[in-house]
Amino acid sequence: MKQKLVVVGNGMAGMRTVEELLGLAPDLYDITVFGAEPHGNYNRIMLSPILAGEKTLDEIMLNNEQWYADNDITLHKGEEISGINRKKRLVKTTDGRAAPYDRLLLATGSDPVILPVPGHDLPGVVCFRGIHDVEVMLEAAHKHKNAVVIGGGLLGLEAAHGLMKQGMKVTVVQLMDRLMERQLDDVAGAMLRFSLEERGMKFLLSTETDSILGKKSKSKRVTGVKLKDGTKLAADIVVMAIGIRPRTALARDVGIYCERGIVVGDTMQTYDPVVYAVGECVQHRGQTYGLVAPLFEQAKV
C-alpha cells in the first residue's frame, strides 16, 4: 500500500515540491492536491503580462489538468480546506469532503494586506494576487478611466503599468518617500520615478490614505480615494499592493506552532513530524519569504 500525501495549496511552491518528489520517488505516494482556485497551477509572477494584455491564462500555466492526470495526482480544484484532524490524520473541505493522509504538506501561501480604512470592502477595491483580481481590473479598464494604486513597491508598480497599458489614468499613492524602498536607494528610486512619470504615471509619495470613497446608490462601487491631507482622487478601481502576510490560520487552529509564519526546521518539517510546510506560509530560521527563488529552494529540500 502506498502512503497518502495530501497537499493543501495548488500554487507554485506546493507544486514545485510535488515535481521534485516525482523526480526522486515517483511511486512513493498516492498524491491528492486541494486548490482554492478553479484552475491548475499557473505562474503567479506572470499575472502582470496578463494584465498588460501580453499573455493569456493558458500561456502562463505551469501544470495543466492533463499533467495531474498523467502523474496520477488527484486534483480537487476550487475546494478550500476548512480543518485538519491531526489525531485521525484527516483534512476536511468546506464542502464536507474528507481526505486521509500519512504525510501532509501545507502550501497555503499568503494573504494580501488590506488597509483597514473605511470603504476598503467596496466593489472595485482589489488586491493583485490571483487571476480573479486581474479579471476585475481588466473589466474596470474596459469600462472606466481612473485607477489608484496604493503601494509603490514592485507589485504596485506592475499593477499600475498594466492598467496604464489598458488605457487608464493611474496614480500611485505611496506611504514611503521613494518607490520600491526595499530594493532601491534614494537615487535609484528617483530615477525610476522620473522614468515612469515620463510615460504618464502619477505619484504621490509620503502620502497616507484616509478612506476609500464610494457611491451610496444601488450600483455601489468605489468612486475615489481620500488622503490624510484631505485631497480626493477620482478612482473607478483601487488596487491595494502594500504587502503580504503568511496564511497560517489552518495550522494555528490545530495547534501547529506558528509565529509570523508556520515554523519549520531545516527539513521543512513543522512541529508535527508528519506535517511539512513550504512557500510563503513558512517561517524558517526567523525569516519569511515572498520571492520565488527561496521557495523553490524549500521545495527541493
Side-chain angles (χ1 to χ4, degrees), residues 36-301:
E37 290 191 90
H39 320 279
N41 169 34
Y42 60 87
N43 186 343
R44 209 176 279 281
I45 302 165
M46 299 300 282
L47 287 173
S48 303
I50 289 192
L51 179 59
E54 294 155 9
K55 292 244 183 267
T56 64
L57 177 56
D58 283 345
E59 288 177 295
I60 69 161
M61 273 298 176
L62 294 171
N63 307 100
N64 60 18
E65 290 181 44
Q66 191 56 48
W67 177 85
Y68 295 86
D70 291 346
N71 287 287
D72 290 331
I73 296 169
T74 306
L75 172 65
H76 297 295
K77 298 179 303 178
E79 290 200 34
E80 276 195 66
I81 298 296
S82 58
I84 302 165
N85 185 328
R86 285 168 60 196
K87 224 180 206 147
K88 292 184 176 164
R89 293 191 183 173
L90 284 175
V91 296
K92 290 196 177 102
T93 71
T94 43
D95 302 343
R97 188 197 298 275
Y101 65 84
D102 298 298
R103 290 282 184 279
L104 180 61
L105 177 63
L106 299 176
T108 48
S110 59
D111 288 312
V113 176
I114 305 288
L115 273 184
V117 294
H120 70 265
D121 50 357
L122 279 165
V125 179
V126 295
C127 301
F128 188 26
R129 285 296 289 162
I131 285 291
H132 176 68
D133 300 325
V134 175
E135 287 167 351
V136 173
M137 287 160 118
L138 286 172
E139 191 188 342
H142 294 152
K143 291 181 183 168
H144 303 285
K145 228 26 234 153
N146 297 307
V148 171
V149 175
I150 301 173
L154 184 59
L155 211 56
L157 295 180
E158 286 193 347
H161 170 72
L163 289 168
M164 252 176 56
K165 290 276 285 232
Q166 294 292 345
M168 295 196 90
K169 288 182 184 149
V170 183
T171 304
V172 177
V173 175
Q174 164 77 324
L175 185 59
M176 312 302 279
D177 61 358
R178 67 172 183 266
L179 299 177
M180 284 177 66
E181 75 281 354
R182 284 204 166 163
Q183 292 89 351
L184 305 180
D185 63 13
D186 286 347
V187 175
M191 287 166 74
L192 175 64
R193 178 184 176 177
F194 180 71
S195 162
L196 292 171
E197 280 177 339
E198 277 194 317
R199 296 182 205 178
M201 211 178 278
K202 291 195 177 71
F203 295 99
L204 294 171
L205 304 185
S206 306
T207 302
E208 211 173 330
T209 304
D210 175 75
S211 56
I212 313 267
L213 310 172
K215 275 191 190 140
K216 297 284 183 278
S217 66
K218 270 187 186 154
S219 63
K220 215 171 109 175
R221 82 170 272 123
V222 66
T223 57
V225 173
K226 185 179 172 206
L227 306 175
K228 276 275 195 283
D229 67 3
T231 309
K232 291 181 182 174
L233 306 172
D236 306 300
I237 186 144
V238 175
V239 182
M240 288 201 191
I242 54 169
I244 55 172
R245 62 168 66 96
R247 194 178 291 159
T248 58
L250 200 58
R252 241 179 246 279
D253 289 350
V254 292
I256 291 172
Y257 182 61
C258 299
E259 287 173 5
R260 183 153 177 259
I262 302 169
V263 175
V264 296
D266 288 352
T267 60
M268 308 312 296
Q269 233 168 354
T270 68
Y271 276 59
D272 180 330
V274 301
V275 181
Y276 293 76
V278 70
E280 289 179 343
C281 61
V282 158
Q283 180 178 321
H284 174 250
R285 297 193 181 195
Q287 283 286 99
T288 58
Y289 296 94
L291 296 169
V292 81
L295 306 187
F296 281 0
E297 285 296 314
Q298 293 176 4
K300 235 190 196 80
V301 171

Side-chain angles (χ1 to χ4, degrees), residues 1-7 17-33 68 71-74 89 100-105 267 269 273-276 301:
M1 273 292 280
K2 280 190 193 179
Q3 290 206 318
K4 289 181 167 57
L5 169 66
V6 170
V7 184
T17 310
V18 171
E19 287 176 3
E20 296 279 357
L21 178 61
L22 291 171
L24 291 167
D27 301 322
L28 193 57
Y29 292 105
D30 264 335
I31 304 174
T32 303
V33 177
Y68 295 86
N71 287 287
D72 290 331
I73 296 169
T74 306
R89 293 191 183 173
Y101 65 84
D102 298 298
R103 290 282 184 279
L104 180 61
L105 177 63
T267 60
Q269 233 168 354
V274 301
V275 181
Y276 293 76
V301 171

